Amino acid sequence: MPNKKQKIAAVLALLVYVFSVLSLFAWLTGKPALYVNLTPFITNNIYPVSSIVLLLLANSLLLQTLQEKKYQQINTISLVLLAMIIAGIEFSSVAFSNRDFSINAYLLSLLPTTDTPKPLTFQVAAALVLFSLSCLLLYIRNFYTVYTSQITQIFIISMIITVSYGYIYNQRTLLEYTKEIGMTFFESLLFILLSLSMLFLKTNEGFLKIASGNSSGAILIRNMLPVIVVLPLILGWVSYLGFKYNFYSERFGAALLQSVTVMLTASILILLAHIISFQETQRKKAERETLRMQQDLAHIVRVNSMGELASGIAHELNQPLAAIQLYAAATQRMIEQTPENKKIDKNLESIKEQTQRVSEIIKRMRSFLRKQQPKVEKVEIEQCVDDVITLLQHKLYQQNIRVVKSFDYPIPMVKVDSIQMTQVILNLFQNAIDAMRNTLDRPSLITVRIYSKRRILHVEINDTGSGISNNEAEDIFNTFFSTKGEDGLGVGLSICRTIIEAHNGRLWFESKENEGSTFFFTLPLA
Ligand code: ADP
């Protein structure tokens, strides 16, 4: 399916096609009204050869917009080649002033018209050759050919608009160079339509791909090109009107035109400089943000692979631990037969207890780290709290943090994924521990409260840490917001909120700076 811009290209090509057919029809049936130009711009005809070449090119453009068609490439290229041959012959006849070659002159002598048989003007013949060549380049699927073709079109449009200046403010711009009226208004209109159709055909390729990007160059070209083309047109016309209605002399008008053009161009440049530098700043900011996110992502990946690694190590450790337990038990039995070694017996008992504890920690760590599908089951939330305390024991010990459990027993069961719940509580504990890192003037204390009310389980985790300032309060649930610099990822709380909300609960907090924070979450009872 052609995209929107290709559809515009097709419509423009169709317009050229229809006008060319009309003009040819008029020539064939001897109805000059259809091919002679409109007043007040009458200067010349659209001659049969122009119509034929335009028709072939428009036809090829139309075919190009139908993307899937088989043999489309061959068909369009043969149409263009035909157009190119006709235009080339006509151009050489004009260039060498040899009327015998001119297809136009030949056709005019055959057609029912009183016009003297003559070749096309230099400008039209050259334009037709240029258009055919440029169409051919456009169809070859290569960046540079498409690029060249598009740049050519932009120059052609600019050129034709220069010609239009002549029509609009009565200065025959090109006439000064060639001493002949080269192109009719109507012809130039068809050329512009054809150029636009060619430009719209491949907006994602070549020069237009660059110009439609968001680089500074693209912004510059998008803003400046229309200004360069349209500004002199409007200014020239206005200054011409002023002169025509006797507001000032022609010389004054010319001076005015020059100074206003310079001033306006300078103002537009200043404005553009601002736009570009603003966009540049925005882009740099976005780039920095992306870089930070990439680093965070790299960290997440690292943490993730660490998890897998830890799970593997835990598995490996289980065997030696079991062996240690076994040896301790066996040695204990041997010692039992010699009762005087009571003290050794006691030590062995401790070894057994400690290895038991290590196995327990490893067991919980493994089940926490194992990647698995969420599994919703009836869970005692107290179990999750205990798991977290076990996992974080060394940190709590290091920072001399006391944990107080204030639970309303019996705690009703909730239907949740226990691993995810452990993760939520672990995150909240971790944040509490981090917040109390610099608490020196009061005891470091984490208080966990669990109670149920109206079939909803409430969990509160309070700390005596730094608290959360009003500024930060708005952001802490945002992904990647962290005040911990290198140590923080800023994803913990947003993950917690997602998990709790997925379980139909709510997560929020209250906090006082320099006193501490309480995080609350609720879960519907099973
Ligand atoms: P991270 O812990 O990686 O920074 P989180 O999303 O878990 O990411 O937390 C975001 C931010 O919220 C933390 O950087 C911290 O500033 C603030 N925060 C969270 N919990 C507490 C708390 N208990 N006390 C003080 N600040 C907290």
Side-chain angles (χ1 to χ4, degrees), residues 28 45 68 76 87 100 122 180 184 213 301 359 361 369 458 511:
L28 284 169
N45 300 325
E68 288 104 32
T76 50
D100 297 343
F122 180 82
E180 67 169 340
T184 64
V301 172
S359 311
I361 292 176
L369 288 178
H458 291 252
S511 180

Side-chain angles (χ1 to χ4, degrees), residues 168-170 236-250 253:
I168 290 179
Y169 53 89
N170 210 16
W237 189 57
V238 170
S239 93
Y240 167 69
L241 284 185
F243 159 67
K244 193 176 162 191
Y245 294 108
N246 279 332
F247 285 122
Y248 40 68
S249 70
E250 196 168 358

Side-chain angles (χ1 to χ4, degrees), residues 427-428 431-432 434-435 463 466-468 472 476 481-484 487-494 517 519:
N427 266 317
L428 298 178
N431 281 342
D434 291 340
D463 63 65
S466 59
I468 295 162
E472 290 160 14
I476 64 164
F481 174 84
S482 174
T483 54
K484 298 175 193 167
D487 298 332
L489 258 185
V491 290
L493 284 180
S494 69
S517 322
F519 280 80

Side-chain angles (χ1 to χ4, degrees), residues 277-291:
S277 88
F278 174 74
Q279 299 211 345
E280 200 80 15
T281 332
Q282 296 286 94
R283 183 167 45 232
K284 286 225 175 91
K285 212 170 116 190
E287 271 168 11
R288 275 201 302 275
E289 188 71 2
T290 315
L291 195 71

Side-chain angles (χ1 to χ4, degrees), residues 425-481:
I425 299 167
L426 184 77
N427 266 317
L428 298 178
F429 259 70
Q430 192 90 50
N431 281 342
I433 294 172
D434 291 340
M436 290 189 291
R437 194 171 285 167
N438 299 319
T439 305
L440 300 170
D441 56 338
R442 52 190 184 276
S444 296
L445 186 69
I446 295 179
T447 314
V448 189
R449 261 194 85 201
I450 301 182
Y451 61 93
S452 65
K453 206 164 106 186
R454 282 190 228 113
R455 301 215 41 80
I456 286 179
L457 188 78
H458 291 252
V459 180
E460 300 179 9
I461 297 174
N462 166 272
D463 63 65
T464 55
S466 59
I468 295 162
S469 72
N470 285 342
N471 279 346
E472 290 160 14
E474 286 180 8
D475 295 322
I476 64 164
F477 285 105
N478 289 344
T479 318
F480 297 128
F481 174 84

